[in-house]
PDB file of all heavy atoms in Angstrom:
ATOM      1  N   ALA A 137     -55.535  22.050 218.229  1.00  0.00           N
ATOM      2  CA  ALA A 137     -55.314  20.606 218.386  1.00  0.00           C
ATOM      3  C   ALA A 137     -56.030  20.037 219.612  1.00  0.00           C
ATOM      4  O   ALA A 137     -56.632  18.968 219.537  1.00  0.00           O
ATOM      5  CB  ALA A 137     -53.823  20.316 218.463  1.00  0.00           C
ATOM      6  N   LYS A 138     -55.987  20.746 220.737  1.00  0.00           N
ATOM      7  CA  LYS A 138     -56.620  20.229 221.956  1.00  0.00           C
ATOM      8  C   LYS A 138     -58.131  20.113 221.783  1.00  0.00           C
ATOM      9  O   LYS A 138     -58.737  19.161 222.257  1.00  0.00           O
ATOM     10  CB  LYS A 138     -56.283  21.106 223.163  1.00  0.00           C
ATOM     11  CG  LYS A 138     -54.865  20.920 223.640  1.00  0.00           C
ATOM     12  CD  LYS A 138     -54.596  21.734 224.884  1.00  0.00           C
ATOM     13  CE  LYS A 138     -53.151  21.559 225.311  1.00  0.00           C
ATOM     14  NZ  LYS A 138     -52.835  22.355 226.490  1.00  0.00           N
ATOM     15  N   ALA A 139     -58.725  21.074 221.085  1.00  0.00           N
ATOM     16  CA  ALA A 139     -60.170  21.028 220.852  1.00  0.00           C
ATOM     17  C   ALA A 139     -60.525  19.840 219.962  1.00  0.00           C
ATOM     18  O   ALA A 139     -61.486  19.118 220.232  1.00  0.00           O
ATOM     19  CB  ALA A 139     -60.654  22.329 220.220  1.00  0.00           C
ATOM     20  N   CYS A 140     -59.770  19.614 218.908  1.00  0.00           N
ATOM     21  CA  CYS A 140     -60.019  18.465 218.026  1.00  0.00           C
ATOM     22  C   CYS A 140     -59.871  17.154 218.794  1.00  0.00           C
ATOM     23  O   CYS A 140     -60.665  16.244 218.625  1.00  0.00           O
ATOM     24  CB  CYS A 140     -59.071  18.474 216.836  1.00  0.00           C
ATOM     25  SG  CYS A 140     -59.711  19.374 215.431  1.00  0.00           S
ATOM     26  N   ALA A 141     -58.838  17.075 219.615  1.00  0.00           N
ATOM     27  CA  ALA A 141     -58.614  15.849 220.388  1.00  0.00           C
ATOM     28  C   ALA A 141     -59.754  15.611 221.359  1.00  0.00           C
ATOM     29  O   ALA A 141     -60.242  14.482 221.506  1.00  0.00           O
ATOM     30  CB  ALA A 141     -57.289  15.942 221.136  1.00  0.00           C
ATOM     31  N   ARG A 142     -60.190  16.666 222.029  1.00  0.00           N
ATOM     32  CA  ARG A 142     -61.293  16.552 222.991  1.00  0.00           C
ATOM     33  C   ARG A 142     -62.580  16.086 222.311  1.00  0.00           C
ATOM     34  O   ARG A 142     -63.313  15.263 222.833  1.00  0.00           O
ATOM     35  CB  ARG A 142     -61.492  17.911 223.663  1.00  0.00           C
ATOM     36  CG  ARG A 142     -62.069  17.872 225.015  1.00  0.00           C
ATOM     37  CD  ARG A 142     -62.094  19.221 225.746  1.00  0.00           C
ATOM     38  NE  ARG A 142     -62.035  20.421 224.935  1.00  0.00           N
ATOM     39  CZ  ARG A 142     -60.977  21.214 224.816  1.00  0.00           C
ATOM     40  NH1 ARG A 142     -59.856  20.926 225.450  1.00  0.00           N
ATOM     41  NH2 ARG A 142     -61.018  22.292 224.072  1.00  0.00           N
ATOM     42  N   LEU A 143     -62.838  16.617 221.121  1.00  0.00           N
ATOM     43  CA  LEU A 143     -64.045  16.268 220.369  1.00  0.00           C
ATOM     44  C   LEU A 143     -63.880  14.998 219.546  1.00  0.00           C
ATOM     45  O   LEU A 143     -64.836  14.540 218.925  1.00  0.00           O
ATOM     46  CB  LEU A 143     -64.431  17.422 219.437  1.00  0.00           C
ATOM     47  CG  LEU A 143     -64.812  18.724 220.114  1.00  0.00           C
ATOM     48  CD1 LEU A 143     -64.961  19.831 219.081  1.00  0.00           C
ATOM     49  CD2 LEU A 143     -66.095  18.551 220.920  1.00  0.00           C
ATOM     50  N   ARG A 144     -62.657  14.470 219.519  1.00  0.00           N
ATOM     51  CA  ARG A 144     -62.331  13.303 218.688  1.00  0.00           C
ATOM     52  C   ARG A 144     -62.791  13.540 217.251  1.00  0.00           C
ATOM     53  O   ARG A 144     -63.484  12.724 216.643  1.00  0.00           O
ATOM     54  CB  ARG A 144     -62.956  12.043 219.268  1.00  0.00           C
ATOM     55  CG  ARG A 144     -62.375  11.741 220.618  1.00  0.00           C
ATOM     56  CD  ARG A 144     -62.816  10.468 221.171  1.00  0.00           C
ATOM     57  NE  ARG A 144     -62.177  10.358 222.495  1.00  0.00           N
ATOM     58  CZ  ARG A 144     -62.518   9.509 223.388  1.00  0.00           C
ATOM     59  NH1 ARG A 144     -63.473   8.655 223.165  1.00  0.00           N
ATOM     60  NH2 ARG A 144     -61.899   9.476 224.535  1.00  0.00           N
ATOM     61  N   GLY A 145     -62.349  14.697 216.749  1.00  0.00           N
ATOM     62  CA  GLY A 145     -62.755  15.142 215.426  1.00  0.00           C
ATOM     63  C   GLY A 145     -62.196  14.332 214.270  1.00  0.00           C
ATOM     64  O   GLY A 145     -62.703  14.421 213.166  1.00  0.00           O
ATOM     65  N   HIS A 146     -61.153  13.543 214.516  1.00  0.00           N
ATOM     66  CA  HIS A 146     -60.525  12.784 213.439  1.00  0.00           C
ATOM     67  C   HIS A 146     -60.203  11.378 213.917  1.00  0.00           C
ATOM     68  O   HIS A 146     -59.875  11.165 215.077  1.00  0.00           O
ATOM     69  CB  HIS A 146     -59.240  13.468 212.967  1.00  0.00           C
ATOM     70  CG  HIS A 146     -59.432  14.920 212.661  1.00  0.00           C
ATOM     71  ND1 HIS A 146     -60.130  15.360 211.568  1.00  0.00           N
ATOM     72  CD2 HIS A 146     -59.042  16.026 213.332  1.00  0.00           C
ATOM     73  CE1 HIS A 146     -60.150  16.678 211.571  1.00  0.00           C
ATOM     74  NE2 HIS A 146     -59.499  17.108 212.635  1.00  0.00           N
ATOM     75  N   ARG A 147     -60.250  10.464 213.004  1.00  0.00           N
ATOM     76  CA  ARG A 147     -59.875   9.086 213.329  1.00  0.00           C
ATOM     77  C   ARG A 147     -58.372   9.019 213.592  1.00  0.00           C
ATOM     78  O   ARG A 147     -57.601   9.697 212.917  1.00  0.00           O
ATOM     79  CB  ARG A 147     -60.259   8.164 212.187  1.00  0.00           C
ATOM     80  CG  ARG A 147     -61.769   8.114 211.943  1.00  0.00           C
ATOM     81  CD  ARG A 147     -62.059   7.186 210.827  1.00  0.00           C
ATOM     82  NE  ARG A 147     -61.459   5.894 211.143  1.00  0.00           N
ATOM     83  CZ  ARG A 147     -62.108   4.744 211.159  1.00  0.00           C
ATOM     84  NH1 ARG A 147     -63.350   4.719 210.845  1.00  0.00           N
ATOM     85  NH2 ARG A 147     -61.480   3.628 211.454  1.00  0.00           N
ATOM     86  N   PRO A 148     -57.962   8.204 214.546  1.00  0.00           N
ATOM     87  CA  PRO A 148     -56.533   8.081 214.836  1.00  0.00           C
ATOM     88  C   PRO A 148     -55.707   7.711 213.606  1.00  0.00           C
ATOM     89  O   PRO A 148     -54.593   8.202 213.435  1.00  0.00           O
ATOM     90  CB  PRO A 148     -56.476   6.970 215.892  1.00  0.00           C
ATOM     91  CG  PRO A 148     -57.818   6.991 216.537  1.00  0.00           C
ATOM     92  CD  PRO A 148     -58.778   7.418 215.460  1.00  0.00           C
ATOM     93  N   GLU A 149     -56.263   6.892 212.714  1.00  0.00           N
ATOM     94  CA  GLU A 149     -55.537   6.494 211.508  1.00  0.00           C
ATOM     95  C   GLU A 149     -55.269   7.686 210.599  1.00  0.00           C
ATOM     96  O   GLU A 149     -54.224   7.780 209.969  1.00  0.00           O
ATOM     97  CB  GLU A 149     -56.318   5.431 210.719  1.00  0.00           C
ATOM     98  CG  GLU A 149     -56.636   4.178 211.489  1.00  0.00           C
ATOM     99  CD  GLU A 149     -57.879   4.305 212.382  1.00  0.00           C
ATOM    100  OE1 GLU A 149     -58.797   5.100 212.065  1.00  0.00           O
ATOM    101  OE2 GLU A 149     -57.913   3.622 213.410  1.00  0.00           O
ATOM    102  N   ALA A 150     -56.236   8.612 210.517  1.00  0.00           N
ATOM    103  CA  ALA A 150     -56.065   9.806 209.677  1.00  0.00           C
ATOM    104  C   ALA A 150     -54.978  10.709 210.255  1.00  0.00           C
ATOM    105  O   ALA A 150     -54.154  11.259 209.514  1.00  0.00           O
ATOM    106  CB  ALA A 150     -57.379  10.569 209.555  1.00  0.00           C
ATOM    107  N   LEU A 151     -54.964  10.857 211.576  1.00  0.00           N
ATOM    108  CA  LEU A 151     -53.932  11.662 212.226  1.00  0.00           C
ATOM    109  C   LEU A 151     -52.552  11.061 212.005  1.00  0.00           C
ATOM    110  O   LEU A 151     -51.596  11.759 211.671  1.00  0.00           O
ATOM    111  CB  LEU A 151     -54.212  11.777 213.725  1.00  0.00           C
ATOM    112  CG  LEU A 151     -55.363  12.692 214.117  1.00  0.00           C
ATOM    113  CD1 LEU A 151     -55.762  12.453 215.556  1.00  0.00           C
ATOM    114  CD2 LEU A 151     -54.968  14.140 213.897  1.00  0.00           C
ATOM    115  N   ARG A 152     -52.453   9.754 212.184  1.00  0.00           N
ATOM    116  CA  ARG A 152     -51.156   9.091 212.019  1.00  0.00           C
ATOM    117  C   ARG A 152     -50.682   9.164 210.561  1.00  0.00           C
ATOM    118  O   ARG A 152     -49.516   9.430 210.296  1.00  0.00           O
ATOM    119  CB  ARG A 152     -51.234   7.651 212.483  1.00  0.00           C
ATOM    120  CG  ARG A 152     -49.861   7.000 212.457  1.00  0.00           C
ATOM    121  CD  ARG A 152     -49.829   5.728 213.251  1.00  0.00           C
ATOM    122  NE  ARG A 152     -48.515   5.142 213.199  1.00  0.00           N
ATOM    123  CZ  ARG A 152     -47.543   5.368 214.060  1.00  0.00           C
ATOM    124  NH1 ARG A 152     -47.731   6.186 215.068  1.00  0.00           N
ATOM    125  NH2 ARG A 152     -46.364   4.788 213.937  1.00  0.00           N
ATOM    126  N   ARG A 153     -51.586   8.955 209.615  1.00  0.00           N
ATOM    127  CA  ARG A 153     -51.227   9.027 208.199  1.00  0.00           C
ATOM    128  C   ARG A 153     -50.680  10.420 207.860  1.00  0.00           C
ATOM    129  O   ARG A 153     -49.644  10.557 207.221  1.00  0.00           O
ATOM    130  CB  ARG A 153     -52.456   8.699 207.349  1.00  0.00           C
ATOM    131  CG  ARG A 153     -52.171   8.499 205.887  1.00  0.00           C
ATOM    132  CD  ARG A 153     -53.351   7.931 205.102  1.00  0.00           C
ATOM    133  NE  ARG A 153     -54.675   8.352 205.527  1.00  0.00           N
ATOM    134  CZ  ARG A 153     -55.541   7.588 206.229  1.00  0.00           C
ATOM    135  NH1 ARG A 153     -55.221   6.369 206.577  1.00  0.00           N
ATOM    136  NH2 ARG A 153     -56.726   8.047 206.564  1.00  0.00           N
ATOM    137  N   ARG A 154     -51.361  11.446 208.337  1.00  0.00           N
ATOM    138  CA  ARG A 154     -50.920  12.828 208.100  1.00  0.00           C
ATOM    139  C   ARG A 154     -49.556  13.068 208.758  1.00  0.00           C
ATOM    140  O   ARG A 154     -48.662  13.681 208.169  1.00  0.00           O
ATOM    141  CB  ARG A 154     -51.967  13.795 208.641  1.00  0.00           C
ATOM    142  CG  ARG A 154     -51.583  15.229 208.614  1.00  0.00           C
ATOM    143  CD  ARG A 154     -51.847  15.853 207.294  1.00  0.00           C
ATOM    144  NE  ARG A 154     -51.493  17.263 207.368  1.00  0.00           N
ATOM    145  CZ  ARG A 154     -51.534  18.069 206.369  1.00  0.00           C
ATOM    146  NH1 ARG A 154     -51.926  17.641 205.195  1.00  0.00           N
ATOM    147  NH2 ARG A 154     -51.193  19.315 206.497  1.00  0.00           N
ATOM    148  N   ALA A 155     -49.393  12.567 209.981  1.00  0.00           N
ATOM    149  CA  ALA A 155     -48.128  12.728 210.704  1.00  0.00           C
ATOM    150  C   ALA A 155     -46.984  12.064 209.945  1.00  0.00           C
ATOM    151  O   ALA A 155     -45.904  12.651 209.803  1.00  0.00           O
ATOM    152  CB  ALA A 155     -48.244  12.147 212.116  1.00  0.00           C
ATOM    153  N   LEU A 156     -47.200  10.884 209.430  1.00  0.00           N
ATOM    154  CA  LEU A 156     -46.137  10.179 208.705  1.00  0.00           C
ATOM    155  C   LEU A 156     -45.769  10.896 207.413  1.00  0.00           C
ATOM    156  O   LEU A 156     -44.596  10.941 207.034  1.00  0.00           O
ATOM    157  CB  LEU A 156     -46.541   8.732 208.440  1.00  0.00           C
ATOM    158  CG  LEU A 156     -46.662   7.858 209.700  1.00  0.00           C
ATOM    159  CD1 LEU A 156     -47.212   6.487 209.354  1.00  0.00           C
ATOM    160  CD2 LEU A 156     -45.341   7.755 210.430  1.00  0.00           C
ATOM    161  N   LEU A 157     -46.752  11.484 206.747  1.00  0.00           N
ATOM    162  CA  LEU A 157     -46.456  12.263 205.540  1.00  0.00           C
ATOM    163  C   LEU A 157     -45.638  13.505 205.872  1.00  0.00           C
ATOM    164  O   LEU A 157     -44.699  13.846 205.152  1.00  0.00           O
ATOM    165  CB  LEU A 157     -47.753  12.641 204.812  1.00  0.00           C
ATOM    166  CG  LEU A 157     -48.504  11.485 204.149  1.00  0.00           C
ATOM    167  CD1 LEU A 157     -49.872  11.952 203.659  1.00  0.00           C
ATOM    168  CD2 LEU A 157     -47.688  10.886 203.022  1.00  0.00           C
ATOM    169  N   LEU A 158     -45.974  14.181 206.979  1.00  0.00           N
ATOM    170  CA  LEU A 158     -45.188  15.333 207.413  1.00  0.00           C
ATOM    171  C   LEU A 158     -43.762  14.919 207.748  1.00  0.00           C
ATOM    172  O   LEU A 158     -42.806  15.589 207.364  1.00  0.00           O
ATOM    173  CB  LEU A 158     -45.827  15.980 208.647  1.00  0.00           C
ATOM    174  CG  LEU A 158     -47.053  16.840 208.426  1.00  0.00           C
ATOM    175  CD1 LEU A 158     -47.728  17.169 209.752  1.00  0.00           C
ATOM    176  CD2 LEU A 158     -46.700  18.111 207.681  1.00  0.00           C
ATOM    177  N   TRP A 159     -43.623  13.812 208.456  1.00  0.00           N
ATOM    178  CA  TRP A 159     -42.297  13.328 208.867  1.00  0.00           C
ATOM    179  C   TRP A 159     -41.418  13.041 207.662  1.00  0.00           C
ATOM    180  O   TRP A 159     -40.229  13.319 207.656  1.00  0.00           O
ATOM    181  CB  TRP A 159     -42.465  12.077 209.729  1.00  0.00           C
ATOM    182  CG  TRP A 159     -41.185  11.622 210.358  1.00  0.00           C
ATOM    183  CD1 TRP A 159     -40.395  10.589 209.965  1.00  0.00           C
ATOM    184  CD2 TRP A 159     -40.552  12.200 211.498  1.00  0.00           C
ATOM    185  NE1 TRP A 159     -39.307  10.486 210.808  1.00  0.00           N
ATOM    186  CE2 TRP A 159     -39.382  11.462 211.741  1.00  0.00           C
ATOM    187  CE3 TRP A 159     -40.853  13.266 212.334  1.00  0.00           C
ATOM    188  CZ2 TRP A 159     -38.522  11.741 212.800  1.00  0.00           C
ATOM    189  CZ3 TRP A 159     -40.000  13.568 213.382  1.00  0.00           C
ATOM    190  CH2 TRP A 159     -38.848  12.798 213.601  1.00  0.00           C
ATOM    191  N   ARG A 160     -42.018  12.484 206.627  1.00  0.00           N
ATOM    192  CA  ARG A 160     -41.263  12.132 205.426  1.00  0.00           C
ATOM    193  C   ARG A 160     -41.022  13.326 204.504  1.00  0.00           C
ATOM    194  O   ARG A 160     -40.391  13.191 203.463  1.00  0.00           O
ATOM    195  CB  ARG A 160     -42.007  11.046 204.660  1.00  0.00           C
ATOM    196  CG  ARG A 160     -42.053   9.734 205.397  1.00  0.00           C
ATOM    197  CD  ARG A 160     -42.809   8.682 204.610  1.00  0.00           C
ATOM    198  NE  ARG A 160     -42.981   7.493 205.394  1.00  0.00           N
ATOM    199  CZ  ARG A 160     -44.143   6.900 205.606  1.00  0.00           C
ATOM    200  NH1 ARG A 160     -45.246   7.351 205.064  1.00  0.00           N
ATOM    201  NH2 ARG A 160     -44.204   5.814 206.350  1.00  0.00           N
ATOM    202  N   GLY A 161     -41.573  14.483 204.881  1.00  0.00           N
ATOM    203  CA  GLY A 161     -41.383  15.682 204.070  1.00  0.00           C
ATOM    204  C   GLY A 161     -42.258  15.711 202.831  1.00  0.00           C
ATOM    205  O   GLY A 161     -41.984  16.450 201.897  1.00  0.00           O
TER     206      GLY A 161
END
Side-chain angles (χ1 to χ4, degrees):
K138 286 184 182 178
C140 270
R142 207 172 22 254
L143 296 171
R144 296 186 181 166
H146 310 289
R147 297 181 55 126
E149 302 82 28
L151 287 166
R152 186 164 180 91
R153 190 170 34 256
R154 173 84 178 176
L156 293 174
L157 291 171
L158 283 168
W159 188 258
R160 293 180 187 127

